[in-house]
Each structure stands twice: as structure tokens, then as C-alpha cells.
Amino acid sequence: MSAFLGTVVRGIRGPIINTGDDIAKVASDALLAAIDGEKIQVQDKDVFSLTESVVARAQGNYATVDQIAKDIKAKFPGDKMGIVFPILSRNRFSIMLKAFARAKKELVILLSYPQDEAGNALFDPKMMYSSKVNPYSDVLTEAEFVSNFGESCHPFTKMNYVEFYKQICAGENCHAEVIFANQPQTILQYADEVLTCDIHNRVETKNLLLRAGAKVCYGMYEILTSSVDGSGYNEKYGLLGTNKSTEEKVKLFPRDCQKTVERIQSILREKTGKNIEVMIYGDGAFKDPVGKIWELADPVVSPAYTSGLEGTPSELKLKYLADNDFSNLDAKSQKAAIIERIKNKERSETAGMAGQGTTPRRLTDLLGSLCDLTSGSGDKGTPFIYIQGYFSNYADQ
């Protein structure tokens, strides 16, 4: 990398990926072509990332609504099932709800309010301040919800998810009742067979319900953990990380990802002579400041990465050093002193005052967010991301 540049991120274009493609070869070939075509100088500790979507597509990791419904019937023997804390999503949850409704005669859907765990709001959260509703304890029927907060309308999609979800159930000849509460145990007043649908508190929510007396309780992470009638599956995350593919089919989160990143790293090392770190990424871990939507609807940011990406950043805050330790020096001496401090920094020092304000997150979460923001989820056509200089610092001049 040039001394004038820090981190450089490039979206790498590739072909349309389909079932049966050798994703490790396709991804490696795409990067090698870009390196050759753009005359990129490859360095050790560069990072190459590929989105989980193309990995799952190459694996053919898909399932139909009927296959999901069959697994639901096998795990929940009754005609009535409670659903706890689903997110509000046309892409993520609606088609799974279709499968659940196809498997049951009656569903009770418990929605958290004023928003789901991903930040999708049923109504403007500021309305809570002027209401007499206590979100920590109050359970609302649909009529009570409308009386207090009006018709639900998502600020971005303008979708009324309450009506949307009920219509999906009606289309499968399944009666749906919607209630609003923030305590998962509430569902047991309506149903003793419960499917938990939250993502990041999935284990805790399930355990709460089991302790509260649920007769049958599974999380979405436990549905399709093995193949049903030839379906795809994910042994660790089940239906979490699922996206809509067609009106009758979903794409699951990819599996066996560690083998893929290690094989890509091996191919790139053979072709370039450099040790390039490799990771697979899904949703980034960031929050929209306007819609308040927390982007991370996948179970993890990165399902697999090479060993060099383990850990958290170990950094010093330049402005802290400039304002405190070396504030009495002239500009030239100050720069030299800061560079020397960085070269000799210890992990213990970065945990102290000089490291305060640096982001205390895992490297893969930071890199995954950077990749997700770069590739987007639309028509950019860059499912591969190449990052250089991420591990460089001010002392590398």
C-alpha cells in the first residue's frame, strides 16, 4: 500500500452464481482477474470476503414451504401454535410464516412493541411517552393496540405488517390472532406449543418459555437442522438467516463454510505467494439512524473466517496521544513520538485511556459491516470484497 493511503476497499464483480458452481474457484478466479486487470499490488494480511448468499446459492441450500411445513408438523403435534417475537420482514419472515400457517389450523402471533429486535417499528416509539401503556408489562389485543397507537405502518416500506401477516395465514386457511407483549411467557396464556423466532436472544427466550411451562418449544434455529425430503438445511442455525427466493422457496444460511474460506486462502496463496485472509459475511452489524433499523437479521455477521481474523482491534487513539502525552511537542516531534508509541504499543496499553474510544468489537464484525455496506444487496454485482491496508496504522509510512 502507498504511504498516502490507509484502508482501501474494492467491490469485485463476479458471475451469477448458481447451484453446483465451485464457489471457491469462482471467487478466487474473480479476485485474481481483478488483481491482474487493475494491477493491484497484493500484500500479506489483505482480506478477501464473499457474501453468504453466493455460498448458499452454490451449495443449493434451499428449502420449499412444504418442506418447512413438514418439519413444523413433526415437531409440533397440535393444531395450534404460538409464535414469539418474529421480525417484521417481507423478505426474511413472511414466507416462513406461510409455511407455519400451512402446517397449522391456528396461530397466535406475539409481536414485541414498539419495534421488533431488528428495529422495525410498529409505530413511532415516541408515542409511548404520551400513552398510558407500560411496555414492560402490558399485553395488548389488536383492538387495544389500534386504540392506543393507530394502524401500524412501517416508516420505510409503508407496510401494515399486522394485516400482512394475518393475510398470509388466511391464504393458508389458518386462523391467526395477533397480540402485543414484550414478555415471551405471555404466549403461554394462548398456546402451550411455541416456536420462538427471535435471532440474538434465541436461547434465552426458549429457556424462559420452557421454565414457564411450555409443553413443546423450539426455536427457528432448530427447524431444518437436517434435510427434509431432500431440502437444504443448516445444522447450526436452522431457519435463521433465511431469505425469500420464490413464493414457495427460501434460501437458507450457508453451511460448511470453514472449508470454503480455507480452500480459497490456499488457492490465493498458491497463485499470489501472499497470505490473504478470507471470510464469508452476511448482514453487517450497524443501525440506521433514521429508520432505527438494526441491520443484523442474520444469526452472525460472519459464519466462517481464516485464523488471522480472530480477535479484536488493538489500537491507540491518536487524538488522545496528541492532546495528552505529547501535547507539549512541536508538530515534527509530536509525529515522531506518536509513531514510536504505536510501534511499541502493548495490548495492556490499548485497553487503557489511550485506547478508549476505539471500537471494542470483533474484527470479523467490523470487516463484515464494511463489506456489507460496500456490496449492498441490490444490483451492484459485487458479491466479493477485497480490502487492503485494514491492519496498517500511522506508523506504517
Side-chain angles (χ1 to χ4, degrees), residues 85 87 92 116-119 196-206 220-221 237 240-241 283-286 294-301 362 365:
F85 297 160
I87 63 172
R92 292 279 187 175
D116 66 16
E117 70 168 312
T196 65
C197 300
D198 51 347
I199 304 162
H200 304 295
N201 292 319
R202 52 189 178 268
V203 175
E204 293 84 353
T205 300
K206 178 187 173 181
M220 278 209 318
Y221 65 96
Y237 299 118
L240 295 183
D283 275 347
F286 50 84
W294 176 250
E295 175 69 12
L296 186 55
D298 284 328
V300 289
V301 173
R362 293 182 300 182
D365 293 340

Side-chain angles (χ1 to χ4, degrees), residues 9-159:
V9 186
R10 297 177 174 92
I12 306 297
R13 291 207 167 100
I16 302 299
I17 307 298
N18 291 296
T19 298
D21 288 344
D22 183 342
I23 190 60
K25 183 178 186 303
V26 171
S28 301
D29 286 350
L31 177 59
L32 293 169
I35 288 170
D36 182 62
E38 300 296 330
K39 310 303 179 189
I40 299 171
Q41 297 299 310
V42 180
Q43 302 291 331
D44 287 325
K45 294 295 287 185
D46 288 352
V47 180
F48 182 49
S49 299
L50 53 162
T51 178
E52 59 83 20
S53 177
V54 296
V55 180
R57 288 178 62 84
Q59 291 174 344
N61 207 21
Y62 293 89
T64 66
V65 169
D66 283 339
Q67 289 165 337
I68 297 171
K70 184 172 182 178
D71 202 21
I72 291 291
K73 287 180 180 179
K75 289 181 167 70
F76 298 90
D79 291 332
K80 184 178 184 180
M81 183 173 75
I83 293 177
V84 172
F85 297 160
I87 63 172
L88 307 175
S89 172
R90 296 169 295 177
N91 174 47
R92 292 279 187 175
F93 187 73
S94 65
I95 192 165
M96 289 185 287
L97 179 60
K98 179 189 280 191
F100 305 156
R102 189 170 295 180
K104 297 295 164 186
K105 293 181 180 179
E106 186 175 357
L107 294 177
V108 181
I109 304 172
L110 189 158
L111 298 178
S112 58
Y113 69 92
Q115 59 208 7
D116 66 16
E117 70 168 312
N120 295 290
L122 285 165
F123 57 89
D124 186 343
K126 295 186 182 70
M127 294 175 69
M128 291 298 307
Y129 298 129
S130 58
S131 79
K132 295 181 180 180
V133 174
N134 183 345
Y136 298 102
S137 61
D138 289 353
V139 180
L140 305 177
T141 65
E142 188 176 344
E144 290 169 334
F145 177 88
V146 172
S147 175
N148 280 280
F149 305 114
E151 296 288 342
S152 169
C153 186
H154 192 280
F156 282 178
T157 65
K158 307 305 179 186
M159 173 74 69

